Amino acid sequence: MGMRLHEFLDSNMEPVLQQWEDFARSVWPSDAPTVKLLRDHAEEMLRAVIVDLQTDQSDAQQFLKSTGHGEDSRSSLSVNRSSERHAVSRVESGFDIRALVAEYRALRASVLNLWAATPDVEETDRLKDMTRFNEAIDQLLAESIYSYSKEIDHSREMFLGILGHDLRTPMHSAVLGAEMLASHPDLSEMPRKIARQITISVREMERMIRDLLDFTTTRLGAKMNLVPVEMDLFELGREVMDEMKTAHPHREFDVSAHGSATGKWDRSRLRQLLSNLIGNAVQHGAADSPIRLLIEGGDEHVIAKVINQGDPIPPEMQQVIFDPLRRNPGNTEARVAGSLGLGLHIAREVALAHGGTLRVESDSTATTFVTRLPRVAKALPEN
């Protein structure tokens, strides 16, 4: 009787690893590294595959495993962990995902080609072992791709967060300088007007940076910190609307209130929420129609409505409008210049952090973003 696949792998580990090493060297993105790094977790993964091949498996278990729904056995967990570590190592080495996938494709081919030369293996055993081996390689590959993508996403978000944080200091200095020029008595009206416009523009850039920081923070799983104080939402709304009038003197803005608008909330966060919603209305609302902010006070909640006329939001877009990654994936043309497309997402995160909600209503008559806040901010439970 010929050599079963697990026996073959155990007896021919070095030739298999050598082929893995040779292939890794051929696709390495820089100068050839050490043999240890080229082989990385290859032997660990193959040892786990050997254990997996020797583990009894019923037809039902085989079917579940082949469809990706099988329970993790000890060998499967070893396969998963080694492939996860391998993926992270390859990210750190500069591999792209095509090279990562090619490694597993080459491993599969080299093992099966070498084993095919082994004589006297029963056909039923050969088919069974090939099926089990392919399942194990598919599992390795799936876990590696998942871990690779997760590591890339984490690195990208960390980079954006660091970039946004480091930009805040020079942006703040630019605002202070522009404000000093705008109020300087020795300057004529024209340079003071330019300085005021610089202040407005830099403030917009600061808002975008803050949205970027909040987006990356929430994407990395952190809670949005709140500092609740007693405040009046109507007074804050008037302040934000006045700022918008200064930045957009040709647009019409209106703010009104019914009932008490006082509560205990984070003032700077709600300023961010209202600025983002009103800014969105400026960008997407009809230029010849007013933008309205309506504050309605109830017994336990206060509701803020930002209303504008213009083209309605299609129903399918209303389901994803607060998620920038689903709303316009990769579509830079659909995003208004001067916007990262994060405003609505951050506004919803602010509402949720207060224990409230944010939803959209849109038809041919108007588009309304409705923020509902409890009168006292309710912290979200820990994850």
Side-chain angles (χ1 to χ4, degrees):
M1 183 176 179
M3 187 180 293
R4 296 294 295 271
L5 183 50
H6 69 271
E7 297 170 326
F8 172 82
L9 283 172
D10 191 41
S11 300
N12 294 270
M13 183 63 68
E14 180 56 33
V16 172
L17 291 175
Q18 186 61 54
Q19 289 201 12
W20 171 286
E21 176 190 331
D22 293 341
F23 182 82
R25 191 185 306 276
S26 72
V27 297
W28 203 264
S30 57
D31 294 337
T34 63
V35 170
K36 181 179 180 181
L37 187 55
L38 283 167
R39 295 190 177 191
D40 197 36
H41 300 87
E43 182 171 0
E44 181 182 345
M45 290 188 284
L46 287 171
R47 294 292 177 192
V49 169
I50 290 172
V51 174
D52 187 72
L53 289 171
Q54 297 179 84
T55 304
D56 290 335
Q57 181 175 270
S58 67
D59 291 342
Q61 289 172 323
Q62 190 276 330
F63 174 77
L64 289 173
K65 184 178 177 183
S66 68
T67 56
H69 297 95
E71 294 183 0
D72 283 331
S73 64
R74 190 167 72 175
S75 62
S76 294
L77 286 171
S78 179
V79 168
N80 290 348
R81 290 166 182 162
S82 58
S83 58
E84 289 170 5
R85 290 193 292 269
H86 177 70
V88 172
S89 174
R90 287 316 195 223
V91 170
E92 294 171 349
S93 298
F95 261 47
D96 64 29
I97 196 162
R98 291 174 297 181
L100 179 74
V101 172
E103 275 194 304
Y104 288 103
R105 186 173 64 243
L107 174 64
R108 188 197 308 265
S110 64
V111 169
L112 294 179
N113 287 336
L114 289 169
W115 186 53
T118 303
D120 302 327
V121 179
E122 293 287 341
E123 285 304 312
T124 54
D125 289 338
R126 187 181 295 276
L127 179 60
K128 178 181 178 181
D129 285 358
M130 287 178 61
T131 300
R132 293 286 300 271
F133 177 73
N134 281 322
E135 289 172 356
I137 294 299
D138 289 342
Q139 184 181 2
L140 286 169
L141 178 58
E143 292 296 333
S144 280
I145 290 175
Y146 174 77
S147 298
Y148 182 98
S149 301
K150 186 168 67 172
E151 186 70 14
I152 289 293
D153 289 343
H154 180 80
S155 298
R156 181 185 299 114
E157 289 166 358
M158 286 295 294
F159 168 77
L160 291 175
I162 293 169
L163 177 65
H165 182 274
D166 289 350
L167 283 173
R168 287 192 300 181
T169 297
M171 295 295 293
H172 183 63
S173 298
V175 168
L176 290 178
E179 288 178 342
M180 290 177 63
L181 287 174
S183 60
H184 199 287
D186 296 337
L187 294 180
S188 63
E189 180 57 28
M190 178 57 72
R192 284 205 300 268
K193 183 178 180 180
I194 294 173
R196 286 194 294 269
Q197 186 57 52
I198 291 174
T199 302
I200 293 171
S201 298
V202 176
R203 290 290 187 194
E204 281 296 298
M205 294 170 68
E206 284 187 320
R207 180 186 60 78
M208 292 167 62
I209 290 171
R210 182 172 183 179
D211 283 350
L212 178 61
L213 286 171
D214 286 336
F215 176 70
T216 54
T217 298
T218 55
R219 288 279 294 174
L220 291 172
K223 289 177 59 178
M224 183 175 284
N225 293 324
L226 300 181
V227 183
V229 296
E230 293 289 344
M231 56 169 289
D232 189 316
L233 189 59
F234 176 61
E235 293 299 324
L236 178 64
R238 286 201 304 186
E239 291 180 17
V240 175
M241 287 295 245
D242 288 341
E243 293 172 1
M244 287 292 175
K245 289 177 184 178
T246 302
H248 305 279
H250 302 297
R251 299 298 296 269
E252 182 180 350
F253 298 88
D254 177 69
V255 57
S256 59
H258 302 292
S260 170
T262 58
K264 193 170 184 179
W265 306 297
D266 187 305
R267 184 179 182 86
S268 65
R269 287 299 187 183
L270 288 191
R271 175 184 290 276
Q272 188 179 15
L273 179 149
L274 292 177
S275 295
N276 286 354
L277 293 181
I278 297 168
N280 179 76
V282 171
Q283 290 177 350
H284 300 286
D288 58 352
S289 64
I291 295 168
R292 298 175 55 212
L293 172 60
L294 174 60
I295 310 293
E296 300 175 344
D299 292 337
E300 298 181 356
H301 293 83
V302 176
I303 295 174
K305 297 180 179 180
V306 176
I307 307 166
N308 67 267
Q309 276 80 49
D311 294 335
I313 302 170
E316 63 274 14
M317 282 295 298
Q318 294 180 32
Q319 304 301 315
V320 298
I321 197 167
F322 297 104
D323 187 345
L325 301 184
R326 295 177 61 196
R327 184 172 70 245
N328 292 313
N331 186 356
T332 56
E333 293 182 1
R335 190 168 59 243
V336 177
S339 168
L340 292 176
L342 302 178
L344 295 180
H345 171 81
I346 300 303
R348 183 182 63 176
E349 291 297 320
V350 171
L352 292 175
H354 282 80
T357 59
L358 174 59
R359 59 185 173 86
V360 62
E361 302 169 353
S362 186
D363 55 30
S364 58
T365 61
T367 292
T368 305
F369 284 88
V370 183
T371 305
R372 182 182 178 89
L373 298 170
R375 287 198 178 268
V376 178
K378 300 176 180 178
L380 291 174
E382 296 287 349
N383 292 330

